[in-house]
Structure formats: structure tokens, C-alpha cells
Amino acid sequence: RLLKVHPVLQRLDFISVNLRPLDLSPESLVFQEVVNRLWALTDSDRLLLLNTVCIEVTEDQEHPHDIGISLNAWQELGFRCAYDDAMSELALDVLGKRQQTSEAAAHFHSTVALAPLLAHFWLVKVDMDWAGHMLFLCHPCLGKQGTPRRAEVLRRVRDEGL
């Protein structure tokens, strides 16, 4: 309804809806509710929604072993899928985001984890910390405070021959 009430939103390339990996399962309540609501729409409204909404898989939860099946289920409904906040293995180490324990806050979207799933995604978003620290050697929110981190990154690049 929002897309029809505000037609200017239809000009957007997409609108992302974040979902955690475990909510992607066709057995999840989220998936079942989306199916019910999707099929309650008229054909034209359903097409408008599917052409606009992108399912963005978040990075804060480990992927279940059958995530490919779940992604296929969403794609069979007509949704496009995006991979949120991808980071390289080295960036995870340098930025201290590598998971140390199962209880620790983690970032699960590494490029290694992405590789076998790449065919399921039409869009891969790069993590801002990775883009800022690793590509530009600063982060916009750090200002001058980014100097120690920048020095650390440059030292590791030199020491590791990158």
C-alpha cells in the first residue's frame, strides 16, 4: 500500500528488508506470514512489491547449513536477495570482528562464507568499516581519531607484504 500511496518510492531501484539467516527458512513464521500476505495482494500489487523489495540477509547470525534452500524459496516467491556487510577474512582480523566464541558478538559475512552462495545474490554490500578502514584507511565517523588505526593498517600491510 505504501508504494501506491507514495508513487515516488516506485522510482527507487529497491527497498531492502533485513532478515536474519534463521528467519529465511520456509518453515519460519516470518516466511509463512510473508507468503500469506503476498498471496493476499492483487496480481499488480504483488508484482509492484516483488519488483521493489529486496531481502537483505544480515551478518549477525551464522548461516544454517541449508541456507541455499531457504534463499531458493525466497527467490521462487519472486524476491531478489542481497548479502549485507561482506568483509574479507583479513579485514575481520584487522578490525577485530572475527568470531572468537559462539557467544561473542560476531560478523559472519566473510568473503569465504559468500563464495558458495554467490549465485543466490544479485547484490553484495560491503561493510562500512571495511570500506572505510581497508580501502580508504579511515572511517568518516573517526575524523582525526582514525590516525592510530590507519597506522596499524599501514603497518600490517607493510609487514604482511600486501
Side-chain angles (χ1 to χ4, degrees):
R1 183 174 69 182
L2 183 68
L3 292 169
K4 291 178 94 171
V5 172
H6 302 284
V8 70
L9 294 175
Q10 295 176 32
R11 294 186 200 163
L12 296 173
D13 288 333
F14 63 93
I15 297 173
S16 291
V17 175
N18 287 350
L19 285 179
R20 298 181 81 198
L22 294 176
D23 290 329
L24 294 171
S25 170
E27 286 79 39
S28 75
L29 294 176
V30 171
F31 184 88
Q32 293 171 19
E33 183 63 23
V34 168
V35 169
N36 290 339
R37 290 182 183 205
L38 193 60
W39 293 113
L41 297 173
T42 65
D43 289 345
S44 62
D45 287 350
R46 187 180 320 99
L47 184 60
L48 177 61
L49 179 85
L50 293 172
N51 284 333
T52 307
V53 172
C54 166
I55 303 301
E56 188 171 298
V57 182
T58 61
E59 74 283 355
D60 62 340
Q61 197 176 66
E62 190 169 14
H63 295 166
H65 71 280
D66 61 349
I67 191 167
I69 293 169
S70 297
L71 292 168
N72 278 336
W74 285 91
Q75 290 168 321
E76 287 173 7
L77 291 175
F79 288 102
R80 297 173 291 172
C81 296
Y83 195 79
D84 191 25
D85 289 344
M87 284 186 133
S88 74
E89 299 297 313
L90 179 59
L92 286 168
D93 289 338
V94 169
L95 298 173
K97 291 192 172 198
R98 173 137 355 246
Q99 181 182 9
Q100 303 301 324
T101 67
S102 59
E103 295 81 31
H107 185 102
F108 291 99
H109 278 192
S110 68
T111 50
V112 170
L114 170 63
L117 300 170
L118 191 56
H120 294 286
F121 297 103
W122 77 279
L123 177 69
V124 175
K125 293 174 59 183
V126 174
D127 180 83
M128 183 58 177
D129 284 334
W130 187 22
H133 288 294
M134 299 305 290
L135 301 177
F136 306 114
L137 299 178
C138 67
H139 191 285
C141 72
L142 293 177
K144 292 186 182 243
Q145 297 172 0
T147 302
R149 175 68 79 177
R150 186 174 16 259
E152 177 188 350
V153 169
L154 289 171
R155 181 190 55 76
R156 287 198 65 174
V157 167
R158 183 190 66 243
D159 293 351
E160 297 177 20
L162 299 175

